[in-house]
Amino acid sequence: ERLFGQRISIGENYPEQFLRFESRSLSSDVGYINFNLFALPIIEKFCGALTEFKDKKAIVIDLRGNIGGIVGTIYALSGMLTDGSLDMGTSIYITGNERMIARSKAKNFTGRIVFLVDSQTISAAEIFSAGIRENDRALIVGERTAGEALPSITLELPTGAVFLYPIANFKTAKGNFLEGNGVTPDFVVSLDRKDLLLGTDPHVEKALALIAEDKAFPTPGVRLPPPMLAGGQIRPPMAGSVVPTPKPAPSVYQGNSMQ
């Protein structure tokens, strides 16, 4: 079966990957968004889907099998899911900490949100879903995520091989460390061989039931303005990120953040 999408590379030292994005209506009240990478083209596609779903009561965001990507994408997507500012967590470096703050975008969705996750939901996808939930904006349905969310950079070795190594840790706004732990869903739902053979999707079915009942969703708290950074300070790479290493030295953190 032919695949539909586009080939992209998330940065230097990374091979081309297949980017897939899908948006459709599950019902008159519920929209559905699915993508497999956090890459820059997703921002425009996500924004377009929100325009399409502006009159929906809820959106199901399917992150099953999402392997992460450009961490800057998290800021943009999170800002489209709030009318305030969201504290998405903190990157912990040897030299200090930095909070990850997402600001509201002009186009934003304030209805119900349900994330679908599984064991192949990785890195930026884990930070995104956990961050939105901990700001009382969403429920999470599915299986525990991979627990792979460390910031890292790459270094090209003399042999031509590329060395990828972590440079920090990451914790959520409520102090949860994702590395090695993953994100535990609010509602654990398993997918087995029988479901696959029947063509049913218990994760989506659970999400639709929660939206219809409308009882389990949290009440959003007060959104506080984020602290200002010192003028001219270079932002280090964020959690769940991999940063293409500038040549010849890997010690300067700049450019696009990657996972």
Side-chain angles (χ1 to χ4, degrees), residues 22-24 26 29-35 46 53 56-64 109 112-117 139 141 201 203-209 211 217:
E22 176 190 6
S23 65
R24 55 187 170 90
L26 296 178
D29 290 331
V30 184
Y32 172 88
I33 295 174
N34 170 262
F35 57 99
F46 195 88
F53 299 148
K56 300 287 190 185
K57 172 184 175 182
I59 295 178
V60 175
I61 301 176
D62 191 348
L63 298 178
R64 294 174 295 180
F109 179 80
R112 303 304 196 189
I113 300 168
V114 179
F115 286 105
L116 305 183
V117 301
L139 294 174
V141 171
D201 192 333
H203 294 168
V204 172
E205 291 174 357
K206 182 62 177 180
L208 290 174
I211 293 167
F217 290 91

mmCIF file of all heavy atoms in Angstrom, residues 22-24 26 29-35 46 53 56-64 109 112-117 139 141 201 203-209 211 217:
data_model
loop_
_atom_site.group_PDB
_atom_site.id
_atom_site.type_symbol
_atom_site.label_atom_id
_atom_site.label_comp_id
_atom_site.label_asym_id
_atom_site.label_seq_id
_atom_site.Cartn_x
_atom_site.Cartn_y
_atom_site.Cartn_z
ATOM 1 N N GLU A 22 -2.394 13.652 9.539
ATOM 2 C CA GLU A 22 -3.782 13.366 9.173
ATOM 3 C C GLU A 22 -4.718 14.149 10.082
ATOM 4 O O GLU A 22 -4.503 14.241 11.290
ATOM 5 C CB GLU A 22 -4.085 11.869 9.326
ATOM 6 C CG GLU A 22 -5.544 11.502 9.054
ATOM 7 C CD GLU A 22 -5.889 10.075 9.449
ATOM 8 O OE1 GLU A 22 -5.029 9.391 10.041
ATOM 9 O OE2 GLU A 22 -7.038 9.647 9.187
ATOM 10 N N SER A 23 -5.757 14.735 9.506
ATOM 11 C CA SER A 23 -6.807 15.378 10.300
ATOM 12 C C SER A 23 -8.150 15.040 9.655
ATOM 13 O O SER A 23 -8.289 15.071 8.439
ATOM 14 C CB SER A 23 -6.602 16.894 10.367
ATOM 15 O OG SER A 23 -6.728 17.486 9.089
ATOM 16 N N ARG A 24 -9.137 14.708 10.510
ATOM 17 C CA ARG A 24 -10.464 14.372 10.033
ATOM 18 C C ARG A 24 -11.462 14.511 11.171
ATOM 19 O O ARG A 24 -11.073 14.649 12.338
ATOM 20 C CB ARG A 24 -10.516 12.952 9.464
ATOM 21 C CG ARG A 24 -10.037 11.863 10.429
ATOM 22 C CD ARG A 24 -9.959 10.511 9.750
ATOM 23 N NE ARG A 24 -9.297 9.508 10.556
ATOM 24 C CZ ARG A 24 -9.904 8.704 11.421
ATOM 25 N NH1 ARG A 24 -11.245 8.785 11.576
ATOM 26 N NH2 ARG A 24 -9.242 7.807 12.120
ATOM 27 N N LEU A 26 -14.230 12.922 13.623
ATOM 28 C CA LEU A 26 -14.731 11.664 14.165
ATOM 29 C C LEU A 26 -16.241 11.734 14.352
ATOM 30 O O LEU A 26 -16.921 10.708 14.359
ATOM 31 C CB LEU A 26 -14.057 11.354 15.497
ATOM 32 C CG LEU A 26 -12.544 11.110 15.453
ATOM 33 C CD1 LEU A 26 -12.007 10.870 16.853
ATOM 34 C CD2 LEU A 26 -12.204 9.929 14.541
ATOM 35 N N ASP A 29 -18.984 16.748 16.643
ATOM 36 C CA ASP A 29 -18.435 17.486 17.776
ATOM 37 C C ASP A 29 -16.951 17.248 18.011
ATOM 38 O O ASP A 29 -16.332 17.966 18.797
ATOM 39 C CB ASP A 29 -19.181 17.105 19.069
ATOM 40 C CG ASP A 29 -20.600 17.628 19.108
ATOM 41 O OD1 ASP A 29 -20.858 18.682 18.491
ATOM 42 O OD2 ASP A 29 -21.446 16.988 19.751
ATOM 43 N N VAL A 30 -16.365 16.239 17.359
ATOM 44 C CA VAL A 30 -14.997 15.829 17.683
ATOM 45 C C VAL A 30 -14.118 15.767 16.441
ATOM 46 O O VAL A 30 -14.459 15.112 15.454
ATOM 47 C CB VAL A 30 -14.984 14.452 18.389
ATOM 48 C CG1 VAL A 30 -13.558 14.086 18.804
ATOM 49 C CG2 VAL A 30 -15.910 14.455 19.601
ATOM 50 N N GLY A 31 -12.970 16.428 16.525
ATOM 51 C CA GLY A 31 -11.971 16.364 15.468
ATOM 52 C C GLY A 31 -10.843 15.418 15.857
ATOM 53 O O GLY A 31 -10.679 15.079 17.036
ATOM 54 N N TYR A 32 -10.054 14.989 14.883
ATOM 55 C CA TYR A 32 -8.972 14.028 15.106
ATOM 56 C C TYR A 32 -7.729 14.494 14.364
ATOM 57 O O TYR A 32 -7.778 14.852 13.178
ATOM 58 C CB TYR A 32 -9.399 12.654 14.599
ATOM 59 C CG TYR A 32 -8.323 11.590 14.589
ATOM 60 C CD1 TYR A 32 -8.089 10.796 15.712
ATOM 61 C CD2 TYR A 32 -7.559 11.363 13.447
ATOM 62 C CE1 TYR A 32 -7.114 9.799 15.697
ATOM 63 C CE2 TYR A 32 -6.578 10.371 13.415
ATOM 64 C CZ TYR A 32 -6.366 9.591 14.549
ATOM 65 O OH TYR A 32 -5.403 8.613 14.527
ATOM 66 N N ILE A 33 -6.585 14.507 15.076
ATOM 67 C CA ILE A 33 -5.300 14.886 14.487
ATOM 68 C C ILE A 33 -4.281 13.806 14.816
ATOM 69 O O ILE A 33 -4.177 13.358 15.964
ATOM 70 C CB ILE A 33 -4.808 16.242 15.035
ATOM 71 C CG1 ILE A 33 -5.751 17.372 14.614
ATOM 72 C CG2 ILE A 33 -3.387 16.538 14.551
ATOM 73 C CD1 ILE A 33 -5.408 18.718 15.228
ATOM 74 N N ASN A 34 -3.520 13.381 13.812
ATOM 75 C CA ASN A 34 -2.486 12.367 14.005
ATOM 76 C C ASN A 34 -1.246 12.759 13.214
ATOM 77 O O ASN A 34 -1.342 13.135 12.046
ATOM 78 C CB ASN A 34 -2.991 10.995 13.549
ATOM 79 C CG ASN A 34 -1.883 9.956 13.495
ATOM 80 O OD1 ASN A 34 -1.324 9.685 12.441
ATOM 81 N ND2 ASN A 34 -1.561 9.383 14.621
ATOM 82 N N PHE A 35 -0.068 12.704 13.866
ATOM 83 C CA PHE A 35 1.185 12.929 13.142
ATOM 84 C C PHE A 35 2.285 12.142 13.823
ATOM 85 O O PHE A 35 2.189 11.800 15.005
ATOM 86 C CB PHE A 35 1.522 14.418 13.048
ATOM 87 C CG PHE A 35 1.631 15.133 14.374
ATOM 88 C CD1 PHE A 35 2.858 15.377 14.953
ATOM 89 C CD2 PHE A 35 0.486 15.584 15.025
ATOM 90 C CE1 PHE A 35 2.965 16.042 16.171
ATOM 91 C CE2 PHE A 35 0.579 16.258 16.236
ATOM 92 C CZ PHE A 35 1.811 16.484 16.811
ATOM 93 N N PHE A 46 -1.059 21.720 11.595
ATOM 94 C CA PHE A 46 -1.809 21.709 12.850
ATOM 95 C C PHE A 46 -2.708 22.942 12.931
ATOM 96 O O PHE A 46 -3.878 22.843 13.329
ATOM 97 C CB PHE A 46 -0.823 21.676 14.022
ATOM 98 C CG PHE A 46 -1.427 21.299 15.340
ATOM 99 C CD1 PHE A 46 -1.525 19.973 15.728
ATOM 100 C CD2 PHE A 46 -1.870 22.275 16.217
ATOM 101 C CE1 PHE A 46 -2.068 19.615 16.960
ATOM 102 C CE2 PHE A 46 -2.412 21.937 17.449
ATOM 103 C CZ PHE A 46 -2.507 20.607 17.823
ATOM 104 N N PHE A 53 -11.458 22.727 12.677
ATOM 105 C CA PHE A 53 -12.192 22.227 13.847
ATOM 106 C C PHE A 53 -12.616 23.338 14.809
ATOM 107 O O PHE A 53 -12.951 23.068 15.961
ATOM 108 C CB PHE A 53 -11.314 21.236 14.614
ATOM 109 C CG PHE A 53 -10.902 20.023 13.832
ATOM 110 C CD1 PHE A 53 -9.684 19.405 14.063
ATOM 111 C CD2 PHE A 53 -11.744 19.488 12.856
ATOM 112 C CE1 PHE A 53 -9.299 18.283 13.350
ATOM 113 C CE2 PHE A 53 -11.371 18.360 12.133
ATOM 114 C CZ PHE A 53 -10.149 17.756 12.377
ATOM 115 N N LYS A 56 -15.668 22.650 16.799
ATOM 116 C CA LYS A 56 -15.774 21.365 17.471
ATOM 117 C C LYS A 56 -15.762 21.541 18.989
ATOM 118 O O LYS A 56 -15.185 22.484 19.531
ATOM 119 C CB LYS A 56 -14.618 20.449 17.071
ATOM 120 C CG LYS A 56 -14.527 20.138 15.580
ATOM 121 C CD LYS A 56 -15.615 19.184 15.151
ATOM 122 C CE LYS A 56 -15.355 18.697 13.717
ATOM 123 N NZ LYS A 56 -16.469 17.844 13.209
ATOM 124 N N LYS A 57 -16.368 20.603 19.673
ATOM 125 C CA LYS A 57 -16.363 20.575 21.128
ATOM 126 C C LYS A 57 -15.037 20.035 21.667
ATOM 127 O O LYS A 57 -14.576 20.451 22.745
ATOM 128 C CB LYS A 57 -17.509 19.697 21.627
ATOM 129 C CG LYS A 57 -17.513 19.425 23.115
ATOM 130 C CD LYS A 57 -18.636 18.459 23.480
ATOM 131 C CE LYS A 57 -18.591 18.071 24.961
ATOM 132 N NZ LYS A 57 -19.665 17.090 25.299
ATOM 133 N N ALA A 58 -14.412 19.120 20.928
ATOM 134 C CA ALA A 58 -13.204 18.461 21.413
ATOM 135 C C ALA A 58 -12.331 18.008 20.249
ATOM 136 O O ALA A 58 -12.798 17.875 19.105
ATOM 137 C CB ALA A 58 -13.570 17.267 22.284
ATOM 138 N N ILE A 59 -11.055 17.758 20.565
ATOM 139 C CA ILE A 59 -10.103 17.236 19.587
ATOM 140 C C ILE A 59 -9.346 16.067 20.209
ATOM 141 O O ILE A 59 -8.892 16.147 21.359
ATOM 142 C CB ILE A 59 -9.095 18.312 19.133
ATOM 143 C CG1 ILE A 59 -9.810 19.430 18.376
ATOM 144 C CG2 ILE A 59 -8.012 17.702 18.252
ATOM 145 C CD1 ILE A 59 -8.889 20.551 17.949
ATOM 146 N N VAL A 60 -9.217 14.978 19.461
ATOM 147 C CA VAL A 60 -8.390 13.844 19.849
ATOM 148 C C VAL A 60 -7.063 13.977 19.110
ATOM 149 O O VAL A 60 -7.036 14.024 17.877
ATOM 150 C CB VAL A 60 -9.067 12.503 19.498
ATOM 151 C CG1 VAL A 60 -8.128 11.337 19.811
ATOM 152 C CG2 VAL A 60 -10.386 12.356 20.246
ATOM 153 N N ILE A 61 -5.958 14.051 19.868
ATOM 154 C CA ILE A 61 -4.628 14.180 19.275
ATOM 155 C C ILE A 61 -3.906 12.846 19.452
ATOM 156 O O ILE A 61 -3.567 12.452 20.570
ATOM 157 C CB ILE A 61 -3.828 15.322 19.919
ATOM 158 C CG1 ILE A 61 -4.584 16.654 19.740
ATOM 159 C CG2 ILE A 61 -2.436 15.423 19.290
ATOM 160 C CD1 ILE A 61 -3.914 17.835 20.425
ATOM 161 N N ASP A 62 -3.679 12.158 18.364
ATOM 162 C CA ASP A 62 -3.123 10.807 18.372
ATOM 163 C C ASP A 62 -1.601 10.868 18.240
ATOM 164 O O ASP A 62 -1.070 11.161 17.168
ATOM 165 C CB ASP A 62 -3.739 10.005 17.221
ATOM 166 C CG ASP A 62 -3.423 8.521 17.301
ATOM 167 O OD1 ASP A 62 -2.544 8.146 18.104
ATOM 168 O OD2 ASP A 62 -4.063 7.747 16.565
ATOM 169 N N LEU A 63 -0.894 10.562 19.336
ATOM 170 C CA LEU A 63 0.568 10.558 19.343
ATOM 171 C C LEU A 63 1.139 9.146 19.418
ATOM 172 O O LEU A 63 2.320 8.963 19.718
ATOM 173 C CB LEU A 63 1.083 11.384 20.527
ATOM 174 C CG LEU A 63 0.711 12.863 20.541
ATOM 175 C CD1 LEU A 63 1.260 13.543 21.799
ATOM 176 C CD2 LEU A 63 1.213 13.584 19.294
ATOM 177 N N ARG A 64 0.334 8.146 19.140
ATOM 178 C CA ARG A 64 0.824 6.773 19.133
ATOM 179 C C ARG A 64 1.837 6.603 17.997
ATOM 180 O O ARG A 64 1.560 6.965 16.864
ATOM 181 C CB ARG A 64 -0.339 5.796 18.975
ATOM 182 C CG ARG A 64 -1.288 5.788 20.165
ATOM 183 C CD ARG A 64 -2.504 4.921 19.909
ATOM 184 N NE ARG A 64 -3.342 5.449 18.836
ATOM 185 C CZ ARG A 64 -4.469 4.873 18.413
ATOM 186 N NH1 ARG A 64 -4.888 3.748 18.977
ATOM 187 N NH2 ARG A 64 -5.175 5.409 17.435
ATOM 188 N N PHE A 109 -7.283 26.778 20.369
ATOM 189 C CA PHE A 109 -8.448 25.941 20.644
ATOM 190 C C PHE A 109 -8.576 25.771 22.150
ATOM 191 O O PHE A 109 -7.619 25.400 22.824
ATOM 192 C CB PHE A 109 -8.271 24.573 19.974
ATOM 193 C CG PHE A 109 -9.418 23.624 20.209
ATOM 194 C CD1 PHE A 109 -10.578 23.733 19.463
ATOM 195 C CD2 PHE A 109 -9.329 22.636 21.176
ATOM 196 C CE1 PHE A 109 -11.644 22.855 19.681
ATOM 197 C CE2 PHE A 109 -10.377 21.761 21.402
ATOM 198 C CZ PHE A 109 -11.543 21.875 20.652
ATOM 199 N N ARG A 112 -12.243 20.652 24.701
ATOM 200 C CA ARG A 112 -11.682 19.454 25.324
ATOM 201 C C ARG A 112 -10.587 18.848 24.451
ATOM 202 O O ARG A 112 -10.666 18.882 23.221
ATOM 203 C CB ARG A 112 -12.781 18.424 25.557
ATOM 204 C CG ARG A 112 -13.949 18.900 26.413
ATOM 205 C CD ARG A 112 -13.501 19.414 27.757
ATOM 206 N NE ARG A 112 -14.594 19.518 28.709
ATOM 207 C CZ ARG A 112 -14.479 20.103 29.890
ATOM 208 N NH1 ARG A 112 -13.337 20.659 30.255
ATOM 209 N NH2 ARG A 112 -15.516 20.145 30.732
ATOM 210 N N ILE A 113 -9.576 18.252 25.125
ATOM 211 C CA ILE A 113 -8.462 17.615 24.416
ATOM 212 C C ILE A 113 -8.202 16.247 25.033
ATOM 213 O O ILE A 113 -8.137 16.113 26.259
ATOM 214 C CB ILE A 113 -7.179 18.463 24.504
ATOM 215 C CG1 ILE A 113 -7.391 19.850 23.890
ATOM 216 C CG2 ILE A 113 -6.014 17.749 23.810
ATOM 217 C CD1 ILE A 113 -6.265 20.814 24.193
ATOM 218 N N VAL A 114 -8.056 15.240 24.185
ATOM 219 C CA VAL A 114 -7.658 13.907 24.635
ATOM 220 C C VAL A 114 -6.456 13.470 23.808
ATOM 221 O O VAL A 114 -6.500 13.490 22.573
ATOM 222 C CB VAL A 114 -8.791 12.878 24.484
ATOM 223 C CG1 VAL A 114 -8.304 11.496 24.941
ATOM 224 C CG2 VAL A 114 -10.018 13.289 25.283
ATOM 225 N N PHE A 115 -5.373 13.087 24.491
ATOM 226 C CA PHE A 115 -4.197 12.544 23.816
ATOM 227 C C PHE A 115 -4.265 11.022 23.818
ATOM 228 O O PHE A 115 -4.662 10.409 24.825
ATOM 229 C CB PHE A 115 -2.911 12.969 24.533
ATOM 230 C CG PHE A 115 -2.526 14.403 24.319
ATOM 231 C CD1 PHE A 115 -2.709 15.346 25.326
ATOM 232 C CD2 PHE A 115 -1.962 14.818 23.123
ATOM 233 C CE1 PHE A 115 -2.346 16.660 25.141
ATOM 234 C CE2 PHE A 115 -1.597 16.133 22.920
ATOM 235 C CZ PHE A 115 -1.787 17.065 23.933
ATOM 236 N N LEU A 116 -3.848 10.412 22.721
ATOM 237 C CA LEU A 116 -3.685 8.962 22.638
ATOM 238 C C LEU A 116 -2.190 8.671 22.591
ATOM 239 O O LEU A 116 -1.467 9.247 21.767
ATOM 240 C CB LEU A 116 -4.362 8.402 21.386
ATOM 241 C CG LEU A 116 -5.847 8.736 21.181
ATOM 242 C CD1 LEU A 116 -6.365 8.047 19.926
ATOM 243 C CD2 LEU A 116 -6.668 8.364 22.402
ATOM 244 N N VAL A 117 -1.702 7.799 23.480
ATOM 245 C CA VAL A 117 -0.273 7.485 23.542
ATOM 246 C C VAL A 117 -0.077 5.976 23.665
ATOM 247 O O VAL A 117 -0.995 5.238 24.016
ATOM 248 C CB VAL A 117 0.412 8.184 24.736
ATOM 249 C CG1 VAL A 117 0.260 9.696 24.642
ATOM 250 C CG2 VAL A 117 -0.155 7.684 26.068
ATOM 251 N N LEU A 139 -6.823 15.101 28.888
ATOM 252 C CA LEU A 139 -6.748 13.755 29.435
ATOM 253 C C LEU A 139 -5.872 12.919 28.507
ATOM 254 O O LEU A 139 -5.766 13.214 27.309
ATOM 255 C CB LEU A 139 -8.139 13.125 29.533
ATOM 256 C CG LEU A 139 -9.130 13.767 30.511
ATOM 257 C CD1 LEU A 139 -10.500 13.101 30.372
ATOM 258 C CD2 LEU A 139 -8.625 13.666 31.942
ATOM 259 N N VAL A 141 -5.085 8.950 27.182
ATOM 260 C CA VAL A 141 -5.622 7.594 27.066
ATOM 261 C C VAL A 141 -4.607 6.714 26.343
ATOM 262 O O VAL A 141 -3.962 7.152 25.377
ATOM 263 C CB VAL A 141 -6.952 7.594 26.285
ATOM 264 C CG1 VAL A 141 -7.405 6.171 25.970
ATOM 265 C CG2 VAL A 141 -8.028 8.339 27.063
ATOM 266 N N ASP A 201 -10.628 0.231 17.340
ATOM 267 C CA ASP A 201 -9.612 1.042 18.009
ATOM 268 C C ASP A 201 -10.124 1.437 19.386
ATOM 269 O O ASP A 201 -10.802 2.455 19.542
ATOM 270 C CB ASP A 201 -9.294 2.293 17.187
ATOM 271 C CG ASP A 201 -8.045 3.013 17.677
ATOM 272 O OD1 ASP A 201 -7.722 2.894 18.872
ATOM 273 O OD2 ASP A 201 -7.403 3.697 16.865
ATOM 274 N N HIS A 203 -8.678 2.728 21.897
ATOM 275 C CA HIS A 203 -8.177 4.018 22.369
ATOM 276 C C HIS A 203 -9.097 5.146 21.909
ATOM 277 O O HIS A 203 -9.486 6.024 22.699
ATOM 278 C CB HIS A 203 -6.755 4.258 21.843
ATOM 279 C CG HIS A 203 -5.745 3.313 22.399
ATOM 280 N ND1 HIS A 203 -4.475 3.196 21.879
ATOM 281 C CD2 HIS A 203 -5.805 2.437 23.428
ATOM 282 C CE1 HIS A 203 -3.793 2.292 22.565
ATOM 283 N NE2 HIS A 203 -4.585 1.816 23.504
ATOM 284 N N VAL A 204 -9.425 5.153 20.641
ATOM 285 C CA VAL A 204 -10.328 6.181 20.106
ATOM 286 C C VAL A 204 -11.712 6.050 20.727
ATOM 287 O O VAL A 204 -12.349 7.055 21.079
ATOM 288 C CB VAL A 204 -10.422 6.069 18.567
ATOM 289 C CG1 VAL A 204 -11.515 7.001 18.023
ATOM 290 C CG2 VAL A 204 -9.076 6.416 17.926
ATOM 291 N N GLU A 205 -12.176 4.819 20.882
ATOM 292 C CA GLU A 205 -13.498 4.600 21.469
ATOM 293 C C GLU A 205 -13.568 5.138 22.895
ATOM 294 O O GLU A 205 -14.563 5.743 23.301
ATOM 295 C CB GLU A 205 -13.838 3.112 21.443
ATOM 296 C CG GLU A 205 -14.069 2.571 20.032
ATOM 297 C CD GLU A 205 -14.266 1.065 20.020
ATOM 298 O OE1 GLU A 205 -14.169 0.446 21.103
ATOM 299 O OE2 GLU A 205 -14.522 0.507 18.934
ATOM 300 N N LYS A 206 -12.492 4.939 23.673
ATOM 301 C CA LYS A 206 -12.450 5.463 25.039
ATOM 302 C C LYS A 206 -12.435 6.985 25.035
ATOM 303 O O LYS A 206 -13.113 7.636 25.858
ATOM 304 C CB LYS A 206 -11.225 4.921 25.774
ATOM 305 C CG LYS A 206 -11.111 5.380 27.222
ATOM 306 C CD LYS A 206 -12.292 4.909 28.056
ATOM 307 C CE LYS A 206 -12.138 5.299 29.515
ATOM 308 N NZ LYS A 206 -13.293 4.852 30.343
ATOM 309 N N ALA A 207 -11.664 7.569 24.126
ATOM 310 C CA ALA A 207 -11.604 9.023 24.031
ATOM 311 C C ALA A 207 -12.979 9.610 23.722
ATOM 312 O O ALA A 207 -13.414 10.591 24.344
ATOM 313 C CB ALA A 207 -10.603 9.437 22.955
ATOM 314 N N LEU A 208 -13.695 8.997 22.793
ATOM 315 C CA LEU A 208 -15.028 9.481 22.431
ATOM 316 C C LEU A 208 -16.001 9.340 23.601
ATOM 317 O O LEU A 208 -16.853 10.217 23.828
ATOM 318 C CB LEU A 208 -15.545 8.722 21.218
ATOM 319 C CG LEU A 208 -14.836 9.023 19.888
ATOM 320 C CD1 LEU A 208 -15.341 8.097 18.790
ATOM 321 C CD2 LEU A 208 -15.044 10.483 19.488
ATOM 322 N N ALA A 209 -15.866 8.251 24.375
ATOM 323 C CA ALA A 209 -16.744 8.053 25.530
ATOM 324 C C ALA A 209 -16.483 9.114 26.595
ATOM 325 O O ALA A 209 -17.427 9.658 27.192
ATOM 326 C CB ALA A 209 -16.528 6.657 26.114
ATOM 327 N N ILE A 211 -15.309 12.131 26.116
ATOM 328 C CA ILE A 211 -15.804 13.414 25.613
ATOM 329 C C ILE A 211 -17.319 13.483 25.734
ATOM 330 O O ILE A 211 -17.892 14.516 26.119
ATOM 331 C CB ILE A 211 -15.354 13.619 24.153
ATOM 332 C CG1 ILE A 211 -13.822 13.789 24.097
ATOM 333 C CG2 ILE A 211 -16.050 14.823 23.528
ATOM 334 C CD1 ILE A 211 -13.246 13.694 22.710
ATOM 335 N N PHE A 217 -12.768 15.549 32.742
ATOM 336 C CA PHE A 217 -11.821 16.596 32.366
ATOM 337 C C PHE A 217 -11.543 17.541 33.527
ATOM 338 O O PHE A 217 -12.451 17.927 34.263
ATOM 339 C CB PHE A 217 -12.347 17.388 31.165
ATOM 340 C CG PHE A 217 -12.338 16.613 29.889
ATOM 341 C CD1 PHE A 217 -13.454 15.881 29.508
ATOM 342 C CD2 PHE A 217 -11.219 16.594 29.079
ATOM 343 C CE1 PHE A 217 -13.451 15.144 28.330
ATOM 344 C CE2 PHE A 217 -11.197 15.864 27.900
ATOM 345 C CZ PHE A 217 -12.324 15.139 27.528
#
